[in-house]
Amino acid sequence: MLCAAMLPAAHAAYDESDAVVLEAKLRYRYDDNLFRLADSDNAGVVLGDSQRGDHMVEPRVGVKAQWPVSRQLFTLNGEVYRPHYFHYDELDYTGWEGEGAWQWAVGSTLAGRLSYSDRKSLSSFEDVLGGIKDLYRTRNAEASGNWQLGPTWSLGAGVGATEERHEARQFLDYDERHATVGATAQTGKGSTFTVRGMVSELEYTEDYGFARADLRGYRQHGVDFGWQIPLTALTTFGGSVGWVSWKDKAGGDATDNFIGGLNLRWQATERTSVELAYERAFDDPGQNLVRRITDTYRVRADWRYHPRWIFSGEVSYEDREIARDTLGDIKDQTLYWRLASTYRPTNSIDLVGYVEQNGRDSNLQTNEYDSMQYGLTATWRF
């Protein structure tokens, strides 16, 4: 009765165009292999506890705010969360993610964006063996500008810096700086084509064994070409192709890698959409000791069965390997699928139920695992 009485009030109180939107979430998840143990692993030996799975409840509160001032737009998005594990309660922590940004404009030809983001989270157990609780904090600052030369061409440039710090695996702490410059052409039919050059430098802040911190990082440069093309009114084709050359600060030869991806989105019917995607990219440098590159293939479909009901399904396959042969031979293949249903009784409330599965094969037995998860999420915007 109380919930039913609240729905009209919640609907009336929330509007997508509000300058400030508050959001409350409550998540429940069960994971039958929380620490991503291999089937051959004895949980009692590895963890000191025979239980492999656990239930988790996570309350979240967030804010989305925007303040337009003449040609300028200021935005603030943030969320704080507190996961609670029923059995492994030593994993409980307080995390957050937030970003403040200024989308600036000077006249009709100059525009850009300044932003700062901060995130604290728990490292994934996919690459943290033995159930180590490794909280890490990532802070990022970005500045970019764009000069519109006419109806077709524009020039752009950007700089940025990232700092990541770990509580347990401090040997992965790093500072990174990067810069980009490029040009974009936009056709009268809505297609865009961009060519961009980029340079970056990454420095680890802690020694690892006999490897000195100042020699563990790398410098890299590269170029990529990207496009977004509306093939029809219902189909969009995009992608990018790029080349990166990177070299360790310890010396040695440079390594060349190709990166990029393809994506195709098709609005099959008024209620059904399908997305196909391929991406080739480097792993997060703050999560793995050895640099790796991953090929990801993904298929996703959404079916709006009813204005209040949405069903979605996703399948992805990841093929990950060392980015340079001399660093070793570690190859992983991960298959992931997810089925979800979203019920929206009002514009301000979402109820999501899902089931998903991860399975990874590897040439290293300790990297293999299978995991099944299911969960529920309730979101209320006001």
Side-chain angles (χ1 to χ4, degrees):
M1 294 290 291
L2 178 60
C3 291
M6 287 174 61
L7 294 184
H11 177 69
Y14 164 72
D15 188 278
E16 292 182 357
S17 63
D18 289 344
V20 179
V21 174
L22 301 179
E23 192 171 78
K25 292 182 181 179
L26 184 62
R27 293 179 172 178
Y28 162 78
R29 185 181 78 235
Y30 174 73
D31 191 323
D32 71 356
N33 188 8
L34 179 63
F35 298 102
R36 302 300 183 258
L37 301 177
D39 290 341
S40 58
D41 286 341
N42 186 313
V45 174
V46 177
L47 306 173
D49 192 310
S50 61
Q51 183 163 320
R52 301 170 72 94
D54 203 356
H55 303 263
M56 186 270 287
V57 170
E58 181 184 89
R60 287 180 172 239
V61 292
V63 60
K64 297 179 180 180
Q66 56 180 355
W67 299 279
V69 180
S70 186
R71 292 178 178 267
Q72 319 305 310
L73 177 63
F74 299 91
T75 60
L76 176 65
N77 298 310
E79 195 169 34
V80 179
Y81 45 91
R82 175 72 180 180
H84 171 66
Y85 294 83
F86 288 24
H87 183 75
Y88 290 103
D89 55 6
E90 66 272 15
L91 296 178
D92 295 358
Y93 71 98
T94 299
W96 63 78
E97 51 187 274
E99 181 189 63
W102 168 28
Q103 297 182 32
W104 58 269
V106 178
S108 58
T109 59
L110 292 176
R113 191 174 189 268
L114 296 174
S115 67
Y116 175 80
S117 63
D118 191 334
R119 179 187 184 213
K120 185 176 182 180
S121 188
L122 179 67
S123 293
S124 170
F125 291 112
E126 291 182 5
D127 296 302
V128 183
L129 300 179
I132 298 173
K133 179 182 179 181
D134 179 32
L135 296 174
Y136 69 98
R137 185 176 181 183
T138 307
R139 285 170 277 200
N140 180 262
E142 299 281 345
S144 63
N146 188 74
W147 180 23
Q148 191 70 39
L149 299 179
T152 301
W153 288 97
S154 64
L155 300 177
V159 294
T162 301
E163 174 189 277
E164 185 162 297
R165 298 293 183 266
H166 293 250
E167 291 187 4
R169 301 184 298 164
Q170 296 179 356
F171 56 85
L172 290 175
D173 292 354
Y174 73 87
D175 296 320
E176 185 265 353
R177 298 173 295 277
H178 59 268
T180 61
V181 62
T184 299
Q186 183 169 349
T187 70
K189 295 184 178 181
S191 298
T192 59
F193 302 90
T194 301
V195 61
R196 183 182 62 163
M198 49 200 169
V199 296
S200 66
E201 180 178 10
L202 185 140
E203 299 175 339
Y204 287 100
T205 65
E206 302 290 335
D207 296 342
Y208 181 72
F210 295 104
R212 288 166 34 194
D214 60 340
L215 299 179
R216 293 182 56 218
Y218 54 84
R219 296 183 179 92
Q220 72 179 35
H221 63 274
V223 63
D224 67 18
F225 173 72
W227 65 90
Q228 197 72 22
I229 304 172
L231 298 178
T232 70
L234 302 176
T235 307
T236 303
F237 174 58
S240 68
V241 58
W243 160 83
V244 172
S245 179
W246 57 283
K247 186 175 182 179
D248 290 330
K249 290 189 174 183
D253 296 331
T255 300
D256 297 330
N257 293 105
F258 286 99
I259 59 172
L262 301 170
N263 62 81
L264 178 69
R265 180 174 175 80
W266 175 37
Q267 190 69 40
T269 69
E270 183 179 354
R271 296 183 177 184
T272 307
S273 63
V274 179
E275 183 179 358
L276 307 176
Y278 163 74
E279 182 183 26
R280 181 174 176 85
F282 291 104
D283 266 3
D284 182 347
Q287 295 300 316
N288 291 286
L289 185 62
V290 180
R291 198 169 202 205
R292 306 183 192 185
I293 197 163
T294 303
D295 293 290
T296 302
Y297 308 82
R298 184 169 62 89
V299 179
R300 178 186 171 93
D302 293 281
W303 177 35
R304 188 176 292 273
Y305 167 74
H306 182 275
R308 300 190 187 279
W309 281 99
I310 302 173
F311 297 95
S312 62
E314 181 178 338
V315 178
S316 70
Y317 176 78
E318 293 185 355
D319 189 358
R320 184 174 64 166
E321 61 182 2
I322 300 296
R324 184 170 63 217
D325 293 340
T326 57
L327 295 178
D329 183 25
I330 303 176
K331 296 181 179 180
D332 301 330
Q333 299 82 39
T334 303
L335 179 64
Y336 163 85
W337 61 261
R338 173 185 170 98
L339 296 173
S341 174
T342 301
Y343 175 55
R344 181 168 292 177
T346 75
N347 193 38
S348 62
I349 294 177
D350 285 346
L351 303 173
V352 180
Y354 69 89
V355 57
E356 61 185 38
Q357 195 269 344
N358 289 272
R360 185 163 76 183
D361 295 321
S362 176
N363 61 348
L364 292 180
Q365 189 176 25
T366 54
N367 284 358
E368 296 185 340
Y369 70 85
D370 285 292
S371 172
M372 178 73 76
Q373 304 112 59
Y374 57 81
L376 297 168
T377 300
T379 303
W380 180 32
R381 293 172 288 269
F382 53 97

